[in-house]
């Protein structure tokens, strides 16, 4: 039994109960264990919110300031990780202005990471717009992000959605050039360390960052070792090797005629619904940036219909050509089964080529090598839905009813959502 001096009795009792909690016994189906795990998730979310509210009171009392410190430093000294301490401080600053979010955070429905993403998203919207938003506008944006979160959006997806909202708002105001598009703020800092290594840090516009991320991803795919084993390099090591390759290729390209020199290829996706255009890696862009990059011959524009599907692109060859693969990437975004990034995938013929399947958008989907094997050899099927998106059909050994599952990037959908 643990007892801490000064701790409220009810919290000490709760702590003791949690410490003594064990997974349910005699649970062959795992149902009781799953239910317990879900309850623990709610407890964890509620505790994270209580930490924010208690820290807010500590901050109001000026406890850290009286000791010549800060509340954030006090949190770190008491055992919170620096990243968690930063998140708590953002919650203290942001939650009072977001009452709907605070209510859902208090009852445990949202994780601390999700709450933090909405707070950061709302901060981004206000900074992006550069004008004072009305209380009604703020509430509408808060409710929109909250709805996304409750429907299953991840923190990363929430931040991307907030950037899209910000880009939509900036078009309606004359607020000047936003920071994401201001090239005068670009910096690259290099420092030679005592070990003789070079530390490189960059702060770039969205478009320059998009070019860098696209080039790095294309050149940092895992490669089998000579003995056939998986690539032993970490993702960080692969990106470092890719960076060196980019420098070597740039040096070779500089000796060529500038008109024919290789250029970074970007994909600019333009929804026909009027929503903001977006780039593959960095997300939503303002209308001004969309017009700017559209003038570049190294940009491929893809216009989506109302269902988010690119315009039809037919082809007569067996292998999917690069322009058609780009269209499949825009629609599927990743391996439709496991979510592996586009650089790790192949385009799979839903109806096999040998059976007369066409090489076009409605007969292709993205699968990584492992999932491609499972579809070909382990009972998984892929069908194209009436919404022109691929759906996965699991084998009977996994689901006797073989109910279709949406692709990974649409996994929060249900069948009745698509109907």
């Amino acid at each position: 039994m643990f007892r801490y001096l000064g701790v409220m009795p009810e919290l000490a009792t709760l702590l003791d109960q949690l410490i003594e909690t064990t997974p349910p016994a005699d649970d062959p189906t795992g149902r009781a264990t799953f239910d317990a795990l879900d309850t623990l998730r709610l407890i964890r979310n509620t505790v994270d919110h209580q930490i924010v509210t208690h820290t807010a009171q500590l901050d109001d009392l000026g406890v850290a300031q009286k000791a010549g410190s800060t509340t954030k430093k006090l949190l770190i000294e008491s055992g919170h990780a620096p990243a968690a301490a930063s998140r708590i401080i953002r919650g203290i600053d942001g939650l009072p202005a977001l009452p709907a979010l605070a209510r859902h955070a208090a009852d445990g429905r949202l994780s601390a990471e999700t709450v933090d993403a909405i707070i950061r998203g709302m901060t981004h919207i206000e900074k992006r717009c550069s004008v004072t938003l009305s209380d009604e506008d703020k509430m509408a944006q808060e409710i929109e992000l909250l709805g996304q979160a409750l429907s299953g959006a991840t923190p990363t997806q929430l931040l991307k959605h907030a950037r899209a909202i910000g880009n939509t708002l900036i078009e309606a105001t004359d607020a000047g050039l936003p920071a994401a598009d201001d090239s005068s703020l670009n910096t690259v800092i290099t420092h030679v360390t005592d070990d003789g290594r070079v530390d490189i840090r960059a702060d770039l516009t969205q478009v320059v960052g998009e070019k860098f991320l696209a080039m790095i991803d294309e050149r940092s795919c895992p490669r089998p070792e000579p003995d056939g084993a998986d690539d032993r390099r970490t993702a960080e090591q692969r990106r470092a090797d890719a960076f060196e390759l980019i420098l070597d290729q740039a040096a070779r390209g500089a000796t060529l005629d500038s008109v024919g020199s290789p250029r970074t290829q970007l994909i600019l996706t333009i929804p026909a619904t009027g929503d903001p255009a977006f780039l593959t890696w960095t997300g939503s862009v303002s209308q001004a940036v969309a017009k700017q990059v559209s003038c570049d011959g190294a940009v491929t524009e893809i216009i989506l219909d109302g269902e988010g599907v690119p315009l039809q692109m037919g082809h007569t060859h067996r292998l999917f050509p690069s322009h058609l693969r780009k269209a499949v990437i825009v629609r599927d975004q990743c391996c439709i089964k496991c979510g592996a990034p586009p650089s790790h995938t192949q385009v799979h013929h839903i109806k096999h080529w040998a059976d007369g399947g066409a090489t076009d958008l409605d007969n292709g989907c993205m699968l990584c090598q492992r999932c491609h094997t499972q579809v070909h050899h382990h009972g998984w099927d892929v069908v194209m839905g009436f919404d022109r998106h691929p759906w996965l059909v699991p084998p009977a050994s996994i689901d006797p009813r073989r109910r279709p599952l949406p692709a990974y990037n649409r996994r929060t959908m249900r069948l009745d959502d698509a109907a």
Side-chain angles (χ1 to χ4, degrees), residues 8-30:
M8 292 186 292
E10 59 270 28
L11 291 182
T13 300
L14 176 62
L15 178 59
D16 287 336
Q17 291 175 344
L18 287 174
I19 290 174
E20 295 173 1
T21 299
T22 59
D26 191 23
D27 182 28
T29 66

Side-chain angles (χ1 to χ4, degrees), residues 99-401:
L101 176 61
R103 288 195 299 271
H104 285 287
D107 64 18
R109 296 186 65 187
L110 299 177
S111 69
E113 295 81 6
T114 297
V115 172
D116 185 55
I118 294 177
I119 292 172
R120 291 167 61 194
M122 289 297 296
T123 301
H124 169 83
I125 290 170
E126 293 189 53
K127 288 183 177 179
R128 184 71 163 163
C129 193
S130 301
V131 296
T132 302
L133 298 174
S134 68
D135 292 339
E136 292 77 10
D137 287 340
K138 289 182 181 179
M139 181 177 295
Q141 292 147 16
E142 177 190 2
I143 295 301
E144 182 171 350
L145 291 178
L146 191 56
Q148 292 283 323
L150 294 175
S151 69
T154 64
T156 298
Q157 290 169 335
L158 290 171
L159 289 171
K160 286 184 177 180
H161 192 69
R163 286 197 294 270
I165 293 174
N167 282 322
T168 300
L169 290 175
I170 200 171
E171 304 302 338
T173 64
D174 185 15
L177 190 64
D181 308 335
D182 189 353
S183 60
S184 68
L185 300 178
N186 285 0
T187 58
V188 175
I189 301 172
T190 61
H191 169 67
V192 180
T193 69
D194 293 341
D195 296 327
R197 300 181 63 81
V198 179
D199 180 37
I200 302 174
R201 300 184 183 185
D203 182 3
L204 308 168
T205 63
Q206 182 177 5
V207 172
V208 177
E210 178 78 16
K211 292 180 180 181
F212 177 77
L213 293 172
M215 294 190 76
I216 283 287
D217 179 72
E218 183 179 347
R219 293 159 177 79
S220 59
C221 301
R223 297 192 302 269
E225 299 290 340
D227 60 0
D230 292 339
D231 197 326
R232 297 185 178 92
R233 299 174 298 167
T234 65
E236 292 80 5
Q237 291 170 333
R238 295 200 307 270
R239 285 194 289 269
D241 290 343
F243 186 64
E244 181 181 8
L245 179 59
I246 289 171
L247 297 177
D248 292 341
Q249 291 176 335
R252 289 194 295 269
T255 64
L256 303 175
D257 186 282
S258 60
V259 175
S261 297
R263 307 181 72 183
T264 306
Q265 294 293 315
L266 302 183
I267 299 177
L268 177 68
T269 305
I270 307 171
T273 56
D275 293 333
F278 59 90
L279 293 166
T280 303
W281 289 100
T282 53
S284 171
V285 298
S286 64
Q287 188 177 37
V289 170
K291 291 179 179 178
Q292 174 189 343
V293 298
S294 294
C295 296
D296 191 339
V299 174
T300 299
E301 290 185 358
I302 299 181
I303 299 178
L304 304 182
D305 63 18
E307 291 292 332
V309 179
L311 297 178
Q312 177 72 32
M313 297 181 184
H315 211 273
T316 58
H317 299 301
R318 175 178 181 179
L319 297 178
F320 283 78
S322 61
H323 73 284
L324 187 51
R325 176 178 168 82
K326 289 176 181 177
V328 177
I329 289 174
V330 168
R331 184 195 63 199
D332 295 351
Q333 301 178 22
C334 56
C335 171
I336 65 169
K337 187 173 183 293
C338 74
S343 55
H344 299 181
T345 64
Q346 305 166 342
V347 181
H348 163 72
H349 282 82
I350 295 175
K351 181 179 180 181
H352 298 312
W353 171 266
D355 298 332
T359 301
D360 58 30
L361 184 63
D362 287 333
N363 194 46
C365 66
M366 295 180 65
L367 290 169
C368 70
Q369 182 60 53
R370 182 174 64 88
C371 295
H372 207 163
T373 300
Q374 289 182 333
V375 168
H376 276 287
H377 303 293
H378 298 288
W380 285 83
D381 289 322
V382 180
V383 296
M384 187 61 66
F386 58 83
D387 54 358
R388 296 186 67 199
H389 284 273
W391 291 68
L392 285 155
V393 181
S397 58
I398 294 178
D399 181 3
R401 296 172 60 185

